[in-house]
Amino acid sequence: MRVLVYGASTNPTRYAYLATNLLLEKGHEVFLVGIKKGEVQGIEIQNNQPIIFEIDTVTLYVGPSHQQDLLEYLNQLNPKRVIFNPGTENPALMSALHKQGIEVEEACTLVMLHTGQF
């Protein structure tokens, strides 16, 4: 599965970092977008909003105050689903995505991966 981690981090204590590693461990193809440059397990964190085709899932690790231009970007990516991890919930964005036919989940990617629900 092709997964975009939005809010990626090189900090080993951040949930985005942990999720990236677990996604890779579970065999997913991972793409990273974040504010700071760097890489995780050889995957570059892109600092813009690159258009990546055939993304199945976007997992969010940025709070609502950093989601202003996210709807347009997510519409361009056209993922099958977007996971709003704890602290990223945004009812307006969630509703807009749902209206576009994109599945929306309020969940923790790490828990989903550990319990086989991903």
Side-chain angles (χ1 to χ4, degrees), residues 5-7 9 15 30 40 42 47 50 54 67 76 81 86 93-94 96 101 116:
V5 177
Y6 192 90
S9 174
Y15 290 117
V30 177
V40 179
N47 302 118
E54 298 179 18
Q67 296 175 4
Q76 290 175 328
R81 71 176 168 171
L93 180 57
M94 295 165 84

Side-chain angles (χ1 to χ4, degrees), residues 60 62-64 66-75 82 84 88-100 102 104:
L60 294 181
V62 295
H66 295 92
Q67 296 175 4
Q68 300 89 338
D69 59 347
L70 200 49
L71 178 60
E72 183 179 328
Y73 180 55
L74 292 172
N75 280 332
V82 176
F84 286 78
T88 68
E89 300 91 344
N90 180 336
L93 180 57
M94 295 165 84
S95 176
L97 292 170
H98 183 72
K99 287 177 184 172
Q100 295 292 335
I102 296 171
V104 172

Side-chain angles (χ1 to χ4, degrees), residues 1 3 7 11 15-16 24 26 29 33-35 38 44 50-51 57 59 62 64 67 86 94 104 110 115 117:
M1 181 184 307
V3 181
N11 183 338
Y15 290 117
L24 290 167
K26 299 279 186 180
E29 186 177 1
V33 173
I35 295 171
E44 179 185 353
I51 301 304
T57 298
T59 182
V62 295
Q67 296 175 4
M94 295 165 84
V104 172
L110 288 168
T115 59
Q117 299 175 46

Side-chain angles (χ1 to χ4, degrees), residues 7-26:
S9 174
T10 59
N11 183 338
T13 65
R14 304 291 296 187
Y15 290 117
Y17 180 90
L18 298 171
T20 298
N21 284 291
L22 191 53
L23 284 162
L24 290 167
E25 182 181 308
K26 299 279 186 180

